[in-house]
Amino acid sequence: MILSDYLAQAEALARDCRALLDRLESATRLDVAKGQLNALKDDRLAALQAALRTLPADDRRAAGAAFNTLKTSIQEALDSFATRQVAGTGAERFDGTMPGRGTWRGSLHPVTLVIDEICEIFRELGFTIALGPEAETEWYNFGALNFPADHPAMELHDTLYLGEDTLLRTHTSPVQVRTMQRFAPPIRVLAPGQVYRRDFFDATHAPAFMQLEGLAIDEGVSFVDLKATLAEFARRFYGATRRVRFGPSYFPFVEPGAQMDVEVDLGDGKGLRWVEILGCGMVHPNVIEAAGLDSEQYTGWAFGMGPARIAMSRYGVNDIRTFYDSDVRFLEQFAR
Ligand code: DAH
C-alpha cells in the first residue's frame, strides 16, 4: 500500500464511524451503538494496523500518526454520541439515566382537613351532614334564631345584604332551623359552610370564613349531653391530655349559652393560654317553636365553631391570614 491510499482509508473510516453515530437516535442505548460501531470498524481498523508494516519505512511515521488520529477521532465520536444521549437537543432530548421529574401533587387545605376530621369524629358520634344556602333570608339568619328585631348584628355595617330581605348568612346557625323544618327528631347534624361578615381582615378575623354548626334535638336531651359530647370531641381532636373548660356565654338562640375553651400554645412565645374554640348552648325554646317543633316535647343543644380558628389552636398558628395567603410553603406543611 502507498501512503496516500493509507491516509485516504484512515480518513474514510473516521468519516464512516462519525456518520454511523450521527445517524443513531440519541435514544439508542450506548451498548447497542457500540456494537454497531464495532461491526463497522473492527475489520477495517485491524487491516489498517496490519498495513502499517507493509508501508515503506519512510512513510510509517506519518501513517502511524494517521492511525492514532483515526483511533482518537472514533473515540471522540463515541464520546460525543454519549454526551448527546445525556444532554440531547430539541426533540431528541432524552436521558434514560436521569431521575424522573417529580409531579406536583396538590393537597387539601389545612382548614378543609380540619373540617373533614371534625366531621369524621362527629360521624362516629352519630351525626350526619346538613347543608344550607349561603344567601339567606333575614328570618332564617336572625328572626327564627330569636334575635330581637333591632339586634345590632343585623345592622348594615355588620351584615352584607343582597337585597331588602336577602343577605349573606353571618353564621351557619340558620341551618339549624332548616334542618328542624325538614326532618323529624331525633336530629343529629353537623353543618359546615361559608359565612360572611363585614369584618376587617386582621390576624383573627376574615370577612368570609368557614363555620361548623352542630345540632342535636330529641326528647329528654340535656346540658349533660352537650358537655359530654363536646368534651369527647375535644379529647379525640386534641388528645386526651389537652385541657378544655366550659364557661357561660350569650347567644340569643341558646339558653343557657356557653363557650368551650381549649388550652393552647400559639407559638408566639407567650406559652399556654385559654382560647375560645366554640359557642354552644341549649337550643332556645323560641327557636324550636319557630322551626315548627313542640318545645315542650323536644329539647336539644347546638354549637358553632370556626374551623380556621380550630386549625390555629391545633397547629399553633397566630395569624388567620396565613390560611388565605396561598403560600405553598406554609400550606404544604399540612399536606397528607
Ligand atoms: N352562630 C354563632 C356565631 O356565629 C356561633 C354559635 C354559638 C352557634 C352558639 C351555636 C351556638 O349553635 O349554640 O358566633
Side-chain angles (χ1 to χ4, degrees), residues 30-95:
L30 195 57
D31 58 341
V32 174
K34 275 185 187 162
Q36 293 193 26
L37 182 66
N38 291 340
L40 171 86
K41 77 169 204 282
D42 278 356
D43 292 344
R44 288 163 66 186
L45 198 63
L48 282 170
Q49 186 163 23
L52 275 178
R53 270 175 282 115
T54 68
L55 287 169
D58 288 350
D59 292 341
R60 280 189 203 157
R61 174 181 283 274
F67 183 78
N68 287 333
T69 306
L70 168 63
K71 284 208 313 196
T72 316
S73 92
I74 292 174
Q75 186 57 47
E76 279 172 5
L78 189 62
D79 289 348
S80 98
F81 171 79
T83 314
R84 179 159 64 96
Q85 246 192 343
V86 174
T89 52
E92 295 174 326
R93 185 179 287 264
F94 176 82
D95 172 11

Short mmCIF file of all heavy atoms in Angstrom, two decimals, residues 30-95:
data_model
loop_
_atom_site.label_atom_id
_atom_site.label_comp_id
_atom_site.label_asym_id
_atom_site.label_seq_id
_atom_site.Cartn_x
_atom_site.Cartn_y
_atom_site.Cartn_z
N LEU A 30 -26.37 2.93 24.63
CA LEU A 30 -24.94 3.08 24.34
C LEU A 30 -24.32 1.74 23.92
O LEU A 30 -23.50 1.69 23.00
CB LEU A 30 -24.24 3.64 25.58
CG LEU A 30 -22.84 4.18 25.37
CD1 LEU A 30 -22.85 5.28 24.30
CD2 LEU A 30 -22.26 4.71 26.68
N ASP A 31 -24.72 0.63 24.56
CA ASP A 31 -24.11 -0.66 24.20
C ASP A 31 -24.53 -1.08 22.78
O ASP A 31 -23.74 -1.68 22.05
CB ASP A 31 -24.45 -1.74 25.25
CG ASP A 31 -25.94 -1.94 25.42
OD1 ASP A 31 -26.72 -1.04 25.03
OD2 ASP A 31 -26.35 -3.00 25.95
N VAL A 32 -25.74 -0.72 22.38
CA VAL A 32 -26.19 -1.02 21.02
C VAL A 32 -25.38 -0.21 20.01
O VAL A 32 -24.90 -0.71 18.99
CB VAL A 32 -27.70 -0.72 20.88
CG1 VAL A 32 -28.15 -0.89 19.42
CG2 VAL A 32 -28.51 -1.63 21.81
N ALA A 33 -25.17 1.08 20.33
CA ALA A 33 -24.39 1.95 19.45
C ALA A 33 -22.95 1.43 19.31
O ALA A 33 -22.39 1.37 18.20
CB ALA A 33 -24.39 3.38 19.99
N LYS A 34 -22.39 1.00 20.44
CA LYS A 34 -21.02 0.48 20.40
C LYS A 34 -20.93 -0.78 19.54
O LYS A 34 -19.97 -0.97 18.79
CB LYS A 34 -20.54 0.14 21.82
CG LYS A 34 -19.96 1.33 22.56
CD LYS A 34 -19.41 0.86 23.91
CE LYS A 34 -18.97 2.02 24.75
NZ LYS A 34 -18.85 1.65 26.17
N GLY A 35 -21.95 -1.63 19.68
CA GLY A 35 -21.99 -2.86 18.88
C GLY A 35 -21.99 -2.55 17.39
O GLY A 35 -21.21 -3.14 16.62
N GLN A 36 -22.81 -1.60 16.98
CA GLN A 36 -22.87 -1.24 15.55
C GLN A 36 -21.56 -0.63 15.08
O GLN A 36 -21.09 -0.88 13.97
CB GLN A 36 -24.03 -0.26 15.30
CG GLN A 36 -25.39 -0.91 15.53
CD GLN A 36 -26.51 -0.05 14.97
OE1 GLN A 36 -26.31 0.73 14.05
NE2 GLN A 36 -27.70 -0.21 15.55
N LEU A 37 -20.98 0.18 15.97
CA LEU A 37 -19.72 0.83 15.62
C LEU A 37 -18.61 -0.22 15.44
O LEU A 37 -17.85 -0.18 14.46
CB LEU A 37 -19.34 1.82 16.72
CG LEU A 37 -18.08 2.63 16.50
CD1 LEU A 37 -18.28 3.58 15.31
CD2 LEU A 37 -17.68 3.41 17.75
N ASN A 38 -18.57 -1.17 16.36
CA ASN A 38 -17.54 -2.21 16.26
C ASN A 38 -17.70 -3.03 14.98
O ASN A 38 -16.71 -3.35 14.31
CB ASN A 38 -17.58 -3.15 17.47
CG ASN A 38 -17.12 -2.41 18.73
OD1 ASN A 38 -16.45 -1.37 18.63
ND2 ASN A 38 -17.50 -2.92 19.89
N ALA A 39 -18.96 -3.35 14.66
CA ALA A 39 -19.21 -4.14 13.44
C ALA A 39 -18.70 -3.40 12.21
O ALA A 39 -18.20 -3.99 11.25
CB ALA A 39 -20.71 -4.43 13.31
N LEU A 40 -18.85 -2.07 12.25
CA LEU A 40 -18.41 -1.27 11.10
C LEU A 40 -16.89 -1.16 11.02
O LEU A 40 -16.27 -1.28 9.97
CB LEU A 40 -19.01 0.14 11.19
CG LEU A 40 -18.46 1.16 10.19
CD1 LEU A 40 -19.25 1.05 8.88
CD2 LEU A 40 -18.53 2.58 10.72
N LYS A 41 -16.26 -0.96 12.17
CA LYS A 41 -14.87 -0.53 12.13
C LYS A 41 -13.84 -1.64 12.37
O LYS A 41 -12.72 -1.57 11.86
CB LYS A 41 -14.64 0.59 13.16
CG LYS A 41 -14.53 0.10 14.60
CD LYS A 41 -14.04 1.18 15.55
CE LYS A 41 -13.39 0.63 16.75
NZ LYS A 41 -13.97 0.08 17.86
N ASP A 42 -14.20 -2.71 13.15
CA ASP A 42 -13.16 -3.62 13.65
C ASP A 42 -12.24 -4.18 12.54
O ASP A 42 -11.02 -4.07 12.64
CB ASP A 42 -13.79 -4.77 14.45
CG ASP A 42 -14.09 -4.32 15.88
OD1 ASP A 42 -13.72 -3.16 16.20
OD2 ASP A 42 -14.66 -5.10 16.65
N ASP A 43 -12.87 -4.74 11.47
CA ASP A 43 -12.06 -5.34 10.41
C ASP A 43 -11.16 -4.30 9.73
O ASP A 43 -9.97 -4.53 9.51
CB ASP A 43 -12.96 -5.99 9.34
CG ASP A 43 -13.68 -7.20 9.91
OD1 ASP A 43 -13.24 -7.68 11.00
OD2 ASP A 43 -14.68 -7.64 9.30
N ARG A 44 -11.78 -3.14 9.46
CA ARG A 44 -11.03 -2.13 8.72
C ARG A 44 -9.92 -1.53 9.58
O ARG A 44 -8.83 -1.23 9.09
CB ARG A 44 -11.97 -1.03 8.23
CG ARG A 44 -12.87 -1.53 7.08
CD ARG A 44 -14.06 -0.65 6.85
NE ARG A 44 -13.73 0.68 6.36
CZ ARG A 44 -14.64 1.64 6.20
NH1 ARG A 44 -15.92 1.39 6.48
NH2 ARG A 44 -14.27 2.81 5.76
N LEU A 45 -10.17 -1.41 10.86
CA LEU A 45 -9.14 -0.86 11.74
C LEU A 45 -7.98 -1.86 11.86
O LEU A 45 -6.79 -1.47 11.81
CB LEU A 45 -9.74 -0.56 13.12
CG LEU A 45 -8.96 0.40 14.01
CD1 LEU A 45 -8.87 1.79 13.36
CD2 LEU A 45 -9.60 0.52 15.38
N ALA A 46 -8.34 -3.15 12.02
CA ALA A 46 -7.29 -4.18 12.13
C ALA A 46 -6.46 -4.22 10.84
O ALA A 46 -5.21 -4.35 10.88
CB ALA A 46 -7.92 -5.54 12.41
N ALA A 47 -7.15 -4.08 9.70
CA ALA A 47 -6.44 -4.11 8.42
C ALA A 47 -5.46 -2.94 8.31
O ALA A 47 -4.32 -3.10 7.86
CB ALA A 47 -7.45 -4.07 7.27
N LEU A 48 -5.90 -1.75 8.77
CA LEU A 48 -5.03 -0.57 8.71
C LEU A 48 -3.82 -0.75 9.64
O LEU A 48 -2.72 -0.33 9.33
CB LEU A 48 -5.80 0.70 9.07
CG LEU A 48 -6.70 1.24 7.94
CD1 LEU A 48 -7.60 2.35 8.44
CD2 LEU A 48 -5.82 1.74 6.79
N GLN A 49 -4.08 -1.38 10.79
CA GLN A 49 -2.95 -1.61 11.71
C GLN A 49 -1.92 -2.57 11.07
O GLN A 49 -0.72 -2.31 11.12
CB GLN A 49 -3.45 -2.19 13.03
CG GLN A 49 -2.34 -2.30 14.06
CD GLN A 49 -2.88 -2.46 15.47
OE1 GLN A 49 -4.01 -2.91 15.66
NE2 GLN A 49 -2.08 -2.09 16.45
N ALA A 50 -2.46 -3.62 10.47
CA ALA A 50 -1.56 -4.59 9.82
C ALA A 50 -0.81 -3.96 8.66
O ALA A 50 0.38 -4.24 8.42
CB ALA A 50 -2.38 -5.81 9.34
N ALA A 51 -1.51 -3.05 7.93
CA ALA A 51 -0.91 -2.43 6.74
C ALA A 51 0.27 -1.54 7.07
O ALA A 51 1.13 -1.27 6.23
CB ALA A 51 -1.97 -1.64 5.98
N LEU A 52 0.32 -1.07 8.33
CA LEU A 52 1.43 -0.20 8.75
C LEU A 52 2.77 -0.83 8.40
O LEU A 52 3.68 -0.17 7.92
CB LEU A 52 1.37 0.04 10.27
CG LEU A 52 0.47 1.16 10.77
CD1 LEU A 52 0.51 1.22 12.29
CD2 LEU A 52 0.92 2.50 10.17
N ARG A 53 2.85 -2.16 8.65
CA ARG A 53 4.12 -2.85 8.46
C ARG A 53 4.46 -3.02 6.96
O ARG A 53 5.61 -3.21 6.62
CB ARG A 53 4.09 -4.21 9.15
CG ARG A 53 4.59 -4.14 10.59
CD ARG A 53 4.44 -5.46 11.30
NE ARG A 53 3.05 -5.66 11.73
CZ ARG A 53 2.27 -6.61 11.25
NH1 ARG A 53 2.71 -7.45 10.36
NH2 ARG A 53 1.03 -6.73 11.69
N THR A 54 3.43 -2.93 6.12
CA THR A 54 3.70 -3.12 4.69
C THR A 54 4.16 -1.84 4.01
O THR A 54 4.57 -1.85 2.86
CB THR A 54 2.42 -3.62 3.95
OG1 THR A 54 1.46 -2.57 3.95
CG2 THR A 54 1.84 -4.85 4.63
N LEU A 55 4.10 -0.72 4.73
CA LEU A 55 4.49 0.56 4.12
C LEU A 55 6.00 0.71 4.11
O LEU A 55 6.69 0.16 4.98
CB LEU A 55 3.86 1.72 4.90
CG LEU A 55 2.36 1.90 4.73
CD1 LEU A 55 1.83 2.89 5.75
CD2 LEU A 55 2.05 2.39 3.31
N PRO A 56 6.51 1.49 3.17
CA PRO A 56 7.94 1.80 3.18
C PRO A 56 8.30 2.46 4.50
O PRO A 56 7.48 3.22 5.06
CB PRO A 56 8.10 2.80 2.01
CG PRO A 56 6.84 2.70 1.21
CD PRO A 56 5.79 2.12 2.07
N ALA A 57 9.51 2.16 4.98
CA ALA A 57 9.92 2.64 6.30
C ALA A 57 9.75 4.15 6.45
O ALA A 57 9.33 4.63 7.51
CB ALA A 57 11.38 2.26 6.56
N ASP A 58 10.02 4.91 5.38
CA ASP A 58 9.93 6.37 5.46
C ASP A 58 8.52 6.87 5.71
O ASP A 58 8.31 7.96 6.22
CB ASP A 58 10.44 7.01 4.16
CG ASP A 58 11.95 6.88 4.05
OD1 ASP A 58 12.55 6.46 5.08
OD2 ASP A 58 12.49 7.19 2.98
N ASP A 59 7.53 6.07 5.27
CA ASP A 59 6.13 6.52 5.40
C ASP A 59 5.48 6.11 6.71
O ASP A 59 4.38 6.53 7.04
CB ASP A 59 5.30 5.95 4.25
CG ASP A 59 5.70 6.55 2.90
OD1 ASP A 59 6.34 7.63 2.94
OD2 ASP A 59 5.40 5.94 1.87
N ARG A 60 6.19 5.20 7.43
CA ARG A 60 5.50 4.62 8.58
C ARG A 60 5.17 5.64 9.67
O ARG A 60 4.14 5.55 10.31
CB ARG A 60 6.37 3.50 9.20
CG ARG A 60 6.21 2.23 8.40
CD ARG A 60 6.85 1.08 9.10
NE ARG A 60 7.15 0.08 8.09
CZ ARG A 60 8.07 -0.85 8.22
NH1 ARG A 60 8.81 -0.90 9.33
NH2 ARG A 60 8.29 -1.72 7.27
N ARG A 61 6.08 6.60 9.85
CA ARG A 61 5.84 7.60 10.91
C ARG A 61 4.55 8.37 10.64
O ARG A 61 3.66 8.46 11.51
CB ARG A 61 7.02 8.57 10.98
CG ARG A 61 6.83 9.71 11.94
CD ARG A 61 8.03 10.62 11.91
NE ARG A 61 9.17 10.06 12.65
CZ ARG A 61 9.34 10.22 13.97
NH1 ARG A 61 8.47 10.91 14.68
NH2 ARG A 61 10.37 9.71 14.57
N ALA A 62 4.40 8.86 9.40
CA ALA A 62 3.19 9.62 9.02
C ALA A 62 1.95 8.73 9.10
O ALA A 62 0.90 9.15 9.61
CB ALA A 62 3.34 10.18 7.61
N ALA A 63 2.07 7.47 8.64
CA ALA A 63 0.92 6.56 8.68
C ALA A 63 0.54 6.24 10.12
O ALA A 63 -0.65 6.20 10.47
CB ALA A 63 1.24 5.28 7.91
N GLY A 64 1.59 6.03 10.95
CA GLY A 64 1.32 5.73 12.38
C GLY A 64 0.55 6.88 13.04
O GLY A 64 -0.39 6.66 13.79
N ALA A 65 0.99 8.12 12.72
CA ALA A 65 0.29 9.29 13.29
C ALA A 65 -1.16 9.31 12.82
O ALA A 65 -2.08 9.56 13.61
CB ALA A 65 1.01 10.57 12.88
N ALA A 66 -1.39 9.01 11.51
CA ALA A 66 -2.76 9.00 10.97
C ALA A 66 -3.59 7.92 11.67
O ALA A 66 -4.77 8.11 11.97
CB ALA A 66 -2.73 8.77 9.47
N PHE A 67 -2.96 6.75 11.93
CA PHE A 67 -3.67 5.65 12.60
C PHE A 67 -4.12 6.08 14.00
O PHE A 67 -5.26 5.85 14.42
CB PHE A 67 -2.76 4.43 12.67
CG PHE A 67 -3.44 3.23 13.28
CD1 PHE A 67 -4.34 2.47 12.52
CD2 PHE A 67 -3.20 2.87 14.60
CE1 PHE A 67 -4.98 1.37 13.09
CE2 PHE A 67 -3.84 1.77 15.16
CZ PHE A 67 -4.73 1.02 14.41
N ASN A 68 -3.18 6.74 14.73
CA ASN A 68 -3.54 7.21 16.08
C ASN A 68 -4.63 8.27 16.03
O ASN A 68 -5.55 8.27 16.85
CB ASN A 68 -2.30 7.76 16.79
CG ASN A 68 -1.37 6.62 17.21
OD1 ASN A 68 -1.83 5.50 17.42
ND2 ASN A 68 -0.09 6.91 17.28
N THR A 69 -4.55 9.18 15.07
CA THR A 69 -5.58 10.20 14.92
C THR A 69 -6.93 9.55 14.64
O THR A 69 -7.96 9.95 15.18
CB THR A 69 -5.23 11.16 13.76
OG1 THR A 69 -3.93 11.67 13.97
CG2 THR A 69 -6.23 12.28 13.66
N LEU A 70 -6.91 8.50 13.80
CA LEU A 70 -8.15 7.78 13.49
C LEU A 70 -8.78 7.20 14.76
O LEU A 70 -9.97 7.38 15.01
CB LEU A 70 -7.82 6.65 12.49
CG LEU A 70 -8.93 5.62 12.27
CD1 LEU A 70 -10.16 6.27 11.65
CD2 LEU A 70 -8.42 4.48 11.37
N LYS A 71 -7.94 6.52 15.57
CA LYS A 71 -8.49 5.91 16.79
C LYS A 71 -9.07 6.97 17.72
O LYS A 71 -10.15 6.79 18.29
CB LYS A 71 -7.38 5.10 17.52
CG LYS A 71 -7.12 3.77 16.81
CD LYS A 71 -6.61 2.68 17.74
CE LYS A 71 -5.50 3.16 18.65
NZ LYS A 71 -4.77 2.04 19.27
N THR A 72 -8.33 8.08 17.85
CA THR A 72 -8.82 9.16 18.72
C THR A 72 -10.13 9.71 18.19
O THR A 72 -11.07 9.97 18.95
CB THR A 72 -7.79 10.31 18.78
OG1 THR A 72 -6.50 9.74 18.95
CG2 THR A 72 -8.09 11.24 19.92
N SER A 73 -10.22 9.87 16.88
CA SER A 73 -11.43 10.51 16.37
C SER A 73 -12.64 9.59 16.47
O SER A 73 -13.76 10.05 16.68
CB SER A 73 -11.20 11.03 14.93
OG SER A 73 -11.58 10.07 13.99
N ILE A 74 -12.39 8.26 16.39
CA ILE A 74 -13.51 7.32 16.61
C ILE A 74 -13.98 7.42 18.08
O ILE A 74 -15.17 7.48 18.37
CB ILE A 74 -13.10 5.87 16.27
CG1 ILE A 74 -12.86 5.73 14.76
CG2 ILE A 74 -14.20 4.89 16.71
CD1 ILE A 74 -12.30 4.36 14.34
N GLN A 75 -13.00 7.46 18.97
CA GLN A 75 -13.36 7.55 20.40
C GLN A 75 -14.11 8.86 20.69
O GLN A 75 -15.10 8.87 21.42
CB GLN A 75 -12.09 7.44 21.27
CG GLN A 75 -12.37 7.37 22.78
CD GLN A 75 -13.30 6.20 23.13
OE1 GLN A 75 -13.10 5.08 22.66
NE2 GLN A 75 -14.33 6.47 23.92
N GLU A 76 -13.64 9.94 20.05
CA GLU A 76 -14.31 11.23 20.27
C GLU A 76 -15.73 11.21 19.74
O GLU A 76 -16.65 11.75 20.36
CB GLU A 76 -13.52 12.36 19.58
CG GLU A 76 -12.34 12.83 20.41
CD GLU A 76 -11.43 13.80 19.67
OE1 GLU A 76 -11.78 14.18 18.52
OE2 GLU A 76 -10.39 14.17 20.24
N ALA A 77 -15.92 10.57 18.59
CA ALA A 77 -17.27 10.48 18.03
C ALA A 77 -18.19 9.70 18.98
O ALA A 77 -19.35 10.05 19.19
CB ALA A 77 -17.24 9.82 16.66
N LEU A 78 -17.61 8.63 19.57
CA LEU A 78 -18.41 7.83 20.51
C LEU A 78 -18.73 8.64 21.77
O LEU A 78 -19.86 8.63 22.26
CB LEU A 78 -17.63 6.56 20.86
CG LEU A 78 -18.42 5.51 21.65
CD1 LEU A 78 -19.61 5.01 20.84
CD2 LEU A 78 -17.50 4.34 22.03
N ASP A 79 -17.73 9.37 22.27
CA ASP A 79 -17.95 10.20 23.45
C ASP A 79 -19.04 11.23 23.18
O ASP A 79 -19.91 11.49 24.01
CB ASP A 79 -16.67 10.95 23.86
CG ASP A 79 -15.63 9.99 24.45
OD1 ASP A 79 -16.02 8.84 24.75
OD2 ASP A 79 -14.47 10.38 24.59
N SER A 80 -18.97 11.82 21.98
CA SER A 80 -19.94 12.89 21.73
C SER A 80 -21.33 12.30 21.53
O SER A 80 -22.33 12.93 21.87
CB SER A 80 -19.48 13.77 20.57
OG SER A 80 -20.13 13.39 19.38
N PHE A 81 -21.39 11.04 21.03
CA PHE A 81 -22.71 10.39 20.98
C PHE A 81 -23.26 10.20 22.39
O PHE A 81 -24.42 10.48 22.66
CB PHE A 81 -22.60 9.02 20.28
CG PHE A 81 -23.86 8.21 20.38
CD1 PHE A 81 -24.94 8.48 19.55
CD2 PHE A 81 -23.99 7.21 21.34
CE1 PHE A 81 -26.11 7.75 19.65
CE2 PHE A 81 -25.16 6.48 21.44
CZ PHE A 81 -26.22 6.75 20.60
N ALA A 82 -22.39 9.75 23.31
CA ALA A 82 -22.84 9.52 24.69
C ALA A 82 -23.30 10.83 25.33
O ALA A 82 -24.29 10.86 26.07
CB ALA A 82 -21.71 8.89 25.51
N THR A 83 -22.60 11.91 25.04
CA THR A 83 -22.99 13.21 25.59
C THR A 83 -24.34 13.65 25.03
O THR A 83 -25.19 14.15 25.75
CB THR A 83 -21.93 14.28 25.23
OG1 THR A 83 -20.65 13.74 25.48
CG2 THR A 83 -22.14 15.54 26.03
N ARG A 84 -24.50 13.45 23.73
CA ARG A 84 -25.77 13.83 23.10
C ARG A 84 -26.92 13.05 23.73
O ARG A 84 -28.02 13.56 23.92
CB ARG A 84 -25.68 13.51 21.60
CG ARG A 84 -26.93 13.82 20.81
CD ARG A 84 -26.61 13.95 19.33
NE ARG A 84 -26.12 12.71 18.72
CZ ARG A 84 -26.93 11.85 18.06
NH1 ARG A 84 -28.20 12.12 17.94
NH2 ARG A 84 -26.44 10.75 17.54
N GLN A 85 -26.63 11.79 24.09
CA GLN A 85 -27.65 10.97 24.74
C GLN A 85 -28.11 11.59 26.04
O GLN A 85 -29.27 11.57 26.39
CB GLN A 85 -27.02 9.63 25.09
CG GLN A 85 -27.59 8.49 24.35
CD GLN A 85 -27.10 7.21 24.98
OE1 GLN A 85 -26.15 7.19 25.74
NE2 GLN A 85 -27.79 6.15 24.66
N VAL A 86 -27.15 12.15 26.79
CA VAL A 86 -27.48 12.69 28.10
C VAL A 86 -28.10 14.08 27.97
O VAL A 86 -29.16 14.35 28.51
CB VAL A 86 -26.23 12.75 29.00
CG1 VAL A 86 -26.55 13.46 30.30
CG2 VAL A 86 -25.73 11.35 29.27
N ALA A 87 -27.43 14.95 27.20
CA ALA A 87 -27.92 16.33 27.12
C ALA A 87 -29.03 16.44 26.09
O ALA A 87 -30.09 16.99 26.38
CB ALA A 87 -26.76 17.24 26.74
N GLY A 88 -28.80 15.89 24.93
CA GLY A 88 -29.81 15.97 23.89
C GLY A 88 -30.03 17.38 23.43
O GLY A 88 -29.59 18.34 24.05
N THR A 89 -30.69 17.53 22.32
CA THR A 89 -31.09 18.85 21.86
C THR A 89 -32.47 18.72 21.29
O THR A 89 -32.82 17.68 20.74
CB THR A 89 -30.17 19.38 20.76
OG1 THR A 89 -30.08 18.39 19.75
CG2 THR A 89 -28.79 19.75 21.28
N GLY A 90 -33.26 19.74 21.44
CA GLY A 90 -34.59 19.79 20.84
C GLY A 90 -35.39 18.53 21.10
O GLY A 90 -35.43 18.00 22.20
N ALA A 91 -36.00 18.02 20.05
CA ALA A 91 -36.93 16.91 20.16
C ALA A 91 -36.23 15.61 20.55
O ALA A 91 -36.84 14.68 21.03
CB ALA A 91 -37.67 16.72 18.84
N GLU A 92 -34.90 15.56 20.34
CA GLU A 92 -34.20 14.32 20.64
C GLU A 92 -33.88 14.17 22.12
O GLU A 92 -33.37 13.16 22.55
CB GLU A 92 -32.85 14.29 19.90
CG GLU A 92 -32.95 14.26 18.42
CD GLU A 92 -31.56 14.38 17.82
OE1 GLU A 92 -30.74 15.10 18.42
OE2 GLU A 92 -31.31 13.77 16.79
N ARG A 93 -34.16 15.24 22.88
CA ARG A 93 -33.75 15.25 24.28
C ARG A 93 -34.30 14.04 25.04
O ARG A 93 -35.48 13.88 25.22
CB ARG A 93 -34.28 16.53 24.93
CG ARG A 93 -33.82 16.74 26.36
CD ARG A 93 -34.40 18.05 26.85
NE ARG A 93 -33.72 19.19 26.23
CZ ARG A 93 -32.72 19.83 26.81
NH1 ARG A 93 -32.29 19.46 27.99
NH2 ARG A 93 -32.17 20.85 26.20
N PHE A 94 -33.41 13.19 25.44
CA PHE A 94 -33.83 12.05 26.24
C PHE A 94 -32.64 11.55 27.03
O PHE A 94 -31.55 11.44 26.50
CB PHE A 94 -34.33 10.90 25.34
CG PHE A 94 -34.66 9.67 26.15
CD1 PHE A 94 -35.88 9.56 26.79
CD2 PHE A 94 -33.73 8.64 26.29
CE1 PHE A 94 -36.18 8.44 27.55
CE2 PHE A 94 -34.02 7.52 27.06
CZ PHE A 94 -35.25 7.42 27.69
N ASP A 95 -32.85 11.31 28.27
CA ASP A 95 -31.78 10.78 29.09
C ASP A 95 -32.36 9.66 29.94
O ASP A 95 -33.07 9.89 30.90
CB ASP A 95 -31.20 11.88 29.97
CG ASP A 95 -30.22 11.31 30.99
OD1 ASP A 95 -29.84 10.13 30.86
OD2 ASP A 95 -29.83 12.05 31.91
#
